[in-house]
């Protein structure tokens, strides 16, 4: 039976050494806590780091570490201290983490860290490959493993791979500053499905892919030469029932069963029943806005001294990534701030901030969630923020107020919370007052709606939705009719070619025999191509027809020396072997003067676009335009033109980053079929890459070998990845004719 392979930097369990014994504790952080229940309930293995470096694990405990992981269906990846330094503390947390959270000033670009990141990603991918069996679903997680999807794909091209990014994806303007941006995007694009918490992260990613790699993006699909990649947003939920049940049990605790922390909290509310507890829980991370929160609290007390002794901020900061200098500096800053503010406002019986810098067991988290009146979560940037959701889930009597930064992914789904800008102290201060004074009914009304949503979109639903979407991508793959020209398939076609008595090859030019260039005139045939076409053209019983949308003068001049048959402008002109151009259709160009000015207005408004004049058609190229603007304008122009040319016997062809206006009666299907008249071909081969070639694929006889270049929607029977593969198959023909 197929299984799911989950892979993330950290395992959900962390192993540490206590007096030469192995201790197992749960990992903190949204990824591990969120996914744990999905892993527990399903048929899956989880591959990740155990928390101990190779150097730290004594030889005699190596097997124990493996065993501890195995018991939880986990596989520990061994990493050395040097690898952890370069990969985890280095590239992951000094480059990607700050950059993706818009902390550009903290972002380092260290080549050695990058090299280690690559080699450690390879290590993770290799571990997956060791456990992979046909039919398994692979689910790669987060920014530490951006290269893993493609590393797996290279070895297992048919694997079903999903990737989920748990942190924000920054805007293109920020992402483009990364020196290794191409490699990072290519790494992620190894997946079939890429998930983000919010639509904003999704569109930032799509925009980077289309601008940096120039891949075609249609809504949420990216077309690669050999595959289609889907991108979607799946806001991560929590294990709602677990938090709700924990809160229910918490209230059943007897006096003796209460934790030490709970007793302190109870003492506080008994002593000062009117005073409100304001809670914050985060990893100690600069993205969480902890320093800002304390300053905002100071601003609040400065401006509203009536709340002195009436509120207390309970802050839990969980130690995190303490080898990274920014985190060490942050730790010092928070210590100082807490000290200063407590010094400034404390009274004999009251300190404004209770600060805990440690990791706490789950039951203490529940103590805090259930005992505080207000949660104040103020990240500067946060992919999601599960703490916000956990706080709401534990409020079983539906009281309590959540104040949440609009910069957290969770804010998109939690409209009933009080949403604030973490940099606006005045707003935070006013919102604190609103929260303190909020009537119980209003609190309950807000929480009721929030809880309903959180319960429905739980982590289980999140994981199932993702896996379902991933599974669908594999079905879409199967539904794609065209067969890939693998070496086996190309061998079969070659056999048919060899045995045929009369062959004809229709070869599209741009995007098929040569790659696209920024300017059409740059795509001149290279010597290898000229020799190849020449050789094919000299083969016995083989007619070679270059069939293109190009104008006859350009095509004619490029192929002047080679007496190959040419069809230009989609069929307007034909040049037979060793003869002159003939106008093959009854076409005219008197419409051009009316249409040209309209296209010119689009050229003026869309930088990077231009008009190509052909004898009987006009083409508007937008390959060099900003990809998003280009698509929008192409749609607009297509609509305008269709209206303008209706009843004029003209049509608009939508090619690969080009719109072309020409006579309706002319297309490559008609032109290629004309060549078949009067001759008995027993091998017909047609190859092309864009919509204009679809006419050939549709109109040529059914038994023809029709081939699309690139994995796009097509009527062709086969597809081939790229132009270099096209040349390979043509070379095979040339050598075997
Ligand atoms: P991040 O993923 O950036 O750390 P989130 O708010 O999304 O932030 O997730 C934090 C997760 O870590 C929550 O599920 C929370 O319950 C958990 N957590 C926080 N503090 C502790 C702690 N002391 N012990 C165990 N889990 C914790
Ligand atoms: C965030 C990241 C996770 C990471 C967690 C804890 O949630 O998205 O990938 O595991 O923080 O950080 P750490 O560096 O301790 O694993």
């Amino acid at each position: 039976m197929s299984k799911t392979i989950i892979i993330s930097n950290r395992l959900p369990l962390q192993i540490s050494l206590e007096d030469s014994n192995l201790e197992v504790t749960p990992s903190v952080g949204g990824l591990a806590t969120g996914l744990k229940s999905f892993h527990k309930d399903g048929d899956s293995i989880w591959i990740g780091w155990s928390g101990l470096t190779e150097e730290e694990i004594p030889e005699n405990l190596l097997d124990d570490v493996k065993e501890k992981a195995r018991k939880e269906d986990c596989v520990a990846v061994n990493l050395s201290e040097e690898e952890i330094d370069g990969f985890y503390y280095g590239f992951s947390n000094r480059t990607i983490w700050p950059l993706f959270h818009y902390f550009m000033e903290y972002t380092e670009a260290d080549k050695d860290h990058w090299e280690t990141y690559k080699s450690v990603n390879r290590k993770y991918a290799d571990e997956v490959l060791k456990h992979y069996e046909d039919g398994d679903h692979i689910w790669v997680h987060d920014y530490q493993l951006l290269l893993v999807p493609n590393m797996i794909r290279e070895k297992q091209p048919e694997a079903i791979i999903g990737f989920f990014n748990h942190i924000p994806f920054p805007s293109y303007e920020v992402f483009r500053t990364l020196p290794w941006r191409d490699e990072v995007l290519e790494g992620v694009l190894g997946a079939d499905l890429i998930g983000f918490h919010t639509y904003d992260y999704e569109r930032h990613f799509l925009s980077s892919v289309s601008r940096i790699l120039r891949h075609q993006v249609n809504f949420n699909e990216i077309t690669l030469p050999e595959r289609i990649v889907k991108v979607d947003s799946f806001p991560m939920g929590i294990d709602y029932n677990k938090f709700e049940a924990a809160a229910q049990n918490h209230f059943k605790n007897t006096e003796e069963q209460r934790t030490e922390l709970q007793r302190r909290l109870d003492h506080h509310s008994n002593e000062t029943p009117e005073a409100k507890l304001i809670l914050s829980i985060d990893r100690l991370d600069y993205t969480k806005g902890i320093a800002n929160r304390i300053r905002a609290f100071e601003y609040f007390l400065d401006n509203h001294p009536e709340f002195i002794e009436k509120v207390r901020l309970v802050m839990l900061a969980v130690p995190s990534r303490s080898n990274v200098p920014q985190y060490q500096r942050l730790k010092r800053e928070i210590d100082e701030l807490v000290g200063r503010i407590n010094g400034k406002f404390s009274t004999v019986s009251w300190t404004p901030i209770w600060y805990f810098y440690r990791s706490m067991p789950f039951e203490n988290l529940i103590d805090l969630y259930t005992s505080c009146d207000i949660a104040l979560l103020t990240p500067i940037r946060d992919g999601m923020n599960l703490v916000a959701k956990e706080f709401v889930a534990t409020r079983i009597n539906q009281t309590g107020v959540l104040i949440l930064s609009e910069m957290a992914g969770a804010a998109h789904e939690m409209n009933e919370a009080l949403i604030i800008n973490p940099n606006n102290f005045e707003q935070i201060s006013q919102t604190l007052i609103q929260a303190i004074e909020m009537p119980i009914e209003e609190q309950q009304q807000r929480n009721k709606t929030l809880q309903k949503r959180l319960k429905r979109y739980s982590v289980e639903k999140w994981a199932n939705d993702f896996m379902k979407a991933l599974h669908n991508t594999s079905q879409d793959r199967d539904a794609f009719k065209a067969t890939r020209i693998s070496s086996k398939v190309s061998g079969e076609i070659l056999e048919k070619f060899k045995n045929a008595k009369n062959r004809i090859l229709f070869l599209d030019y741009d995007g098929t025999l040569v790659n696209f260039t920024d300017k059409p005139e740059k795509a001149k045939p290279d010597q290898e191509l000229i020799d190849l076409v020449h050789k094919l053209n000299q083969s016995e019983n083989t007619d070679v027809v270059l069939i293109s949308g190009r104008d006859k003068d350009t095509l004619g001049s490029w192929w002047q020396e080679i007496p190959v048959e040419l069809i230009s402008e989609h069929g307007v002109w034909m040049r037979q072997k060793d003869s002159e151009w003939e106008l093959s259709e009854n076409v005219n160009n008197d419409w051009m003067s009316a249409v040209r000015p309209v296209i010119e207005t689009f050229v003026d408004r869309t930088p990077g676009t231009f008009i190509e004049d052909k004898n009987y058609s006009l083409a508007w190229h937008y390959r060099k335009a900003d990809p998003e603007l280009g698509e929008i304008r192409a749609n607009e122009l297509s609509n305008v033109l269709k209206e303008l040319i209706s009843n004029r016997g003209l049509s608009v062809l939508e090619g690969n980053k080009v719109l072309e206006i020409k006579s309706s009666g002319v297309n490559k299907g008609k032109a290629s079929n004309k060549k078949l008249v009067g001759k008995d071909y027993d091998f017909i081969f047609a190859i092309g890459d864009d919509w204009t070639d679809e006419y050939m694929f549709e109109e040529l006889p059914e038994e023809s070998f029709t081939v699309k270049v690139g994995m796009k929607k097509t009527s062709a029977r086969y597809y081939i990845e790229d132009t270099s593969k096209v040349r390979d198959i043509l070379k095979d023909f040339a050598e075997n004719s």
Side-chain angles (χ1 to χ4, degrees):
M1 209 177 81
S2 61
K3 62 182 177 301
T4 302
I5 305 180
I6 301 173
I7 154 165
S8 68
N9 170 41
R10 257 183 216 287
L11 287 176
L13 55 105
Q14 288 300 284
I15 304 179
S16 54
L17 270 178
E18 295 293 328
D19 303 328
S20 311
N21 289 320
L22 295 181
E23 284 266 313
V24 178
T25 48
S27 300
V28 285
L31 188 168
T33 52
L35 257 184
K36 220 161 24 186
S37 55
F38 169 76
H39 172 55
K40 237 184 11 227
D41 300 342
D43 182 13
S44 60
I45 58 164
W46 192 324
I47 295 175
W49 180 49
S50 70
L52 285 174
T53 61
E54 274 169 357
E55 291 83 349
E56 282 168 327
I57 310 176
E59 193 103 357
N60 62 329
L61 292 182
L62 263 174
D63 285 345
D64 284 8
V65 170
K66 273 195 197 148
E67 185 52 26
K68 290 238 182 298
R70 200 200 53 78
K71 266 200 194 141
E72 309 271 335
D73 291 321
C74 290
V75 178
V77 177
N78 285 329
L79 296 176
S80 68
E81 206 171 292
E82 199 182 338
E83 285 174 326
I84 284 292
D85 272 348
F87 153 72
Y88 172 70
Y89 290 116
F91 197 74
S92 299
N93 288 318
R94 289 164 84 153
T95 304
I96 298 287
W97 179 270
L99 185 72
F100 280 32
H101 285 87
Y102 295 79
F103 281 79
M104 288 178 76
E105 70 282 18
Y106 290 0
T107 306
E108 297 176 16
D110 183 314
K111 178 96 183 350
D112 291 340
H113 288 169
W114 166 242
E115 291 302 329
T116 316
Y117 183 83
K118 278 196 287 186
S119 66
V120 172
N121 268 243
R122 167 96 43 218
K123 220 169 169 175
Y124 277 89
D126 288 346
E127 197 61 48
V128 175
L129 290 164
K130 264 193 235 163
H131 292 86
Y132 175 76
E133 291 164 309
D134 277 353
D136 285 352
H137 288 58
I138 300 171
W139 193 3
V140 185
H141 289 269
D142 228 358
Y143 67 103
Q144 303 91 342
L145 303 177
L146 294 166
L147 307 179
V148 169
N150 205 36
M151 288 174 171
I152 300 173
R153 174 79 56 208
E154 279 165 3
K155 298 277 163 51
Q156 287 288 352
E158 302 301 321
I160 303 162
I161 308 173
F163 177 82
F164 194 88
N165 198 55
H166 291 257
I167 65 172
F169 196 91
S171 100
Y172 159 73
E173 287 300 343
V174 169
F175 180 74
R176 72 196 294 205
T177 61
L178 181 71
W180 305 282
R181 60 198 185 181
D182 293 41
E183 291 92 324
V184 163
L185 290 179
E186 277 157 9
V188 181
L189 287 179
D192 297 293
L193 173 68
I194 300 169
F196 295 93
H197 284 307
T198 72
Y199 174 67
D200 282 339
Y201 309 156
E202 173 190 337
R203 79 186 162 76
H204 289 157
F205 175 76
L206 288 171
S207 141
S208 287
V209 167
S210 96
R211 285 155 196 243
I212 294 170
L213 299 182
R214 312 287 302 185
H215 287 314
Q216 202 173 332
V217 173
N218 277 323
F219 298 104
N220 65 339
E221 288 186 354
I222 302 165
T223 305
L224 304 183
E226 69 296 354
R227 283 182 305 118
I228 287 171
V229 179
K230 276 219 163 130
V231 184
D232 217 332
S233 55
F234 303 85
M236 189 182 194
I238 56 167
D239 187 347
Y240 189 90
N241 293 338
K242 177 175 134 186
F243 283 91
E244 190 185 35
Q248 277 159 351
N249 289 334
H250 169 90
F251 287 111
K252 288 185 198 143
N253 279 345
T254 58
E255 187 65 34
E256 296 73 53
Q257 286 170 319
R258 297 198 173 166
T259 63
E260 189 49 44
L261 175 65
Q262 186 61 53
R263 286 189 198 153
R264 266 186 80 185
L265 292 164
D266 289 347
H267 178 74
H268 165 90
S269 38
N270 293 337
E271 291 288 296
T272 48
E274 292 303 308
K276 302 279 183 193
L277 287 182
I278 303 170
L279 172 70
S280 76
I281 298 183
D282 334 72
R283 277 182 307 99
L284 190 91
D285 197 300
Y286 49 81
T287 60
K288 301 286 183 183
I290 305 174
N292 258 18
R293 182 182 312 150
I294 303 174
R295 289 199 187 94
F297 189 57
E298 178 184 20
Y299 179 93
F300 166 71
L301 291 177
D302 270 336
N303 289 281
H304 297 279
E306 67 274 21
F307 287 104
I308 285 181
E309 295 195 339
K310 300 278 174 356
V311 289
R312 171 169 284 149
L313 180 60
V314 183
M315 261 185 29
L316 170 61
V318 182
S320 182
R321 306 173 194 165
S322 39
N323 280 16
V324 178
Q326 301 295 354
Y327 289 73
Q328 294 165 353
R329 273 200 283 278
L330 179 67
K331 164 80 176 55
R332 284 198 294 275
E333 187 187 357
I334 304 290
D335 286 350
E336 277 166 27
L337 271 173
V338 172
R340 186 171 64 73
I341 288 160
N342 276 345
K344 178 169 165 187
F345 294 103
S346 285
T347 62
V348 182
S349 54
W350 176 79
T351 37
I353 304 177
W354 277 355
Y355 172 49
F356 303 95
Y357 174 65
R358 68 177 89 125
S359 193
M360 283 194 186
F362 183 69
E363 54 181 348
N364 283 151
L365 282 189
I366 301 296
D367 293 338
L368 290 171
Y369 281 146
T370 49
S371 304
C372 294
D373 306 284
I374 296 165
L376 177 63
L377 304 172
T378 56
I380 310 281
R381 287 279 161 190
D382 203 339
M384 172 49 75
N385 198 297
L386 296 181
V387 167
K389 296 185 171 183
E390 292 169 6
F391 172 73
V392 172
T394 56
R395 310 302 300 191
I396 50 175
N397 59 5
Q398 294 173 336
T399 58
V401 184
L402 170 64
I403 303 177
L404 180 61
S405 159
E406 65 182 60
M407 309 298 173
H412 291 256
E413 305 156 67
M414 302 185 86
N415 280 330
E416 295 76 10
L418 302 182
I419 306 292
I420 50 97
N421 174 347
N423 302 307
N424 185 340
F425 291 0
E426 179 52 32
Q427 188 196 24
I428 296 177
S429 173
Q430 289 305 326
T431 309
L432 274 173
I433 297 174
Q434 188 188 348
I436 293 166
E437 294 174 349
M438 188 182 284
I440 297 276
E441 300 73 47
E442 185 182 344
Q443 296 177 23
Q444 289 177 326
Q445 211 171 9
R446 287 173 184 264
N447 286 330
K448 203 168 138 190
T449 318
L450 284 169
Q451 287 183 346
K452 210 164 140 197
R453 202 175 302 129
L454 291 177
K455 196 168 187 155
R456 204 175 56 77
Y457 207 87
S458 63
V459 72
E460 192 188 358
K461 172 127 178 59
W462 166 80
N464 287 339
D465 278 4
F466 185 91
M467 290 313 280
K468 205 148 77 190
L470 179 60
H471 189 68
N472 287 346
T473 62
S474 67
Q475 287 184 331
D476 291 351
R477 223 196 271 175
D478 297 342
F480 184 75
K481 281 197 322 296
T483 309
R484 187 171 75 89
I485 301 204
S486 58
S487 51
K488 180 167 168 274
V489 174
S490 92
E492 287 162 9
I493 297 177
L494 184 62
E495 227 21 62
K496 292 267 170 38
F497 175 89
K498 282 201 275 192
N499 296 331
K501 295 196 176 60
N502 244 333
R503 313 151 179 146
I504 185 161
L505 311 178
F506 293 103
L507 313 178
D508 166 52
Y509 186 74
D510 296 275
T512 301
L513 297 180
V514 295
N515 281 324
F516 286 103
T517 51
D518 347 337
K519 292 203 175 126
E521 60 272 23
K522 280 202 209 153
K524 246 176 132 164
D526 50 273
Q527 197 55 45
E528 183 199 65
L529 181 64
I530 292 174
D531 294 345
L532 176 60
V533 170
H534 190 42
K535 192 163 176 202
L536 272 175
N537 197 42
Q538 284 178 324
S539 312
E540 263 182 51
N541 306 323
T542 309
D543 291 336
V544 179
V545 184
L546 298 191
I547 182 162
S548 166
R550 290 263 178 185
D551 69 280
K552 80 178 199 324
D553 299 331
T554 309
L555 210 59
S557 71
W558 285 350
W559 298 96
Q560 201 166 14
E561 307 299 321
I562 313 291
V564 64
E565 292 197 32
L566 300 177
I567 294 178
S568 77
E569 295 176 42
H570 307 283
V572 174
W573 298 92
M574 287 198 183
R575 190 190 81 174
Q576 307 273 16
K577 233 173 177 172
D578 298 317
S579 59
E580 294 301 308
W581 285 104
E582 289 165 38
L583 195 59
S584 67
E585 291 283 337
N586 192 10
V587 287
N588 68 60
N589 54 12
D590 51 10
W591 49 271
M592 283 188 179
S593 55
V595 171
R596 202 172 205 291
V598 175
I599 309 181
E600 274 165 357
T601 64
F602 278 75
V603 172
D604 294 341
R605 290 194 299 135
T606 323
T609 67
F610 61 91
I611 299 176
E612 185 188 1
D613 276 296
K614 303 184 186 180
N615 292 300
Y616 289 92
S617 67
L618 286 177
W620 178 71
H621 289 266
Y622 59 98
R623 179 165 303 281
K624 276 203 79 186
D626 173 278
E628 280 161 29
L629 183 66
E631 290 304 333
I632 293 169
R633 291 280 199 264
N635 260 333
E636 224 179 292
L637 178 58
S638 173
N639 290 336
V640 170
L641 287 173
K642 277 176 191 156
E643 211 161 286
L644 186 74
I645 64 179
S646 63
N647 303 328
R648 286 201 187 200
L650 297 171
S651 58
V652 182
L653 278 189
E654 293 173 17
N656 192 334
K657 304 279 181 200
V658 56
L659 284 188
E660 185 151 356
I661 302 91
K662 52 169 220 30
S663 293
S664 304
V666 181
N667 65 48
K668 288 184 179 180
K670 285 203 172 128
S672 54
N673 263 317
K674 228 174 183 182
K675 300 285 328 168
L676 305 183
V677 177
K679 266 200 157 179
D680 193 12
Y681 291 107
D682 54 355
F683 182 88
I684 303 168
F685 180 90
I687 188 162
D689 71 300
D690 75 15
W691 275 106
T692 63
D693 301 303
E694 292 294 318
Y695 289 102
M696 278 199 294
F697 304 151
E698 279 161 21
E699 294 180 29
L700 282 171
E702 218 175 304
E703 66 278 11
S704 309
F705 292 93
T706 48
V707 185
K708 180 89 163 181
V709 185
M711 192 187 183
K712 301 163 208 158
K713 204 166 155 224
T714 181
S715 316
R717 287 169 63 197
Y718 301 92
Y719 80 96
I720 196 162
E721 285 92 335
D722 53 32
T723 54
S724 78
K725 293 253 167 60
V726 174
R727 289 200 188 187
D728 288 345
I729 194 165
L730 294 181
K731 278 179 205 157
D732 283 346
F733 288 165
E735 276 155 23
N736 288 282
S737 52

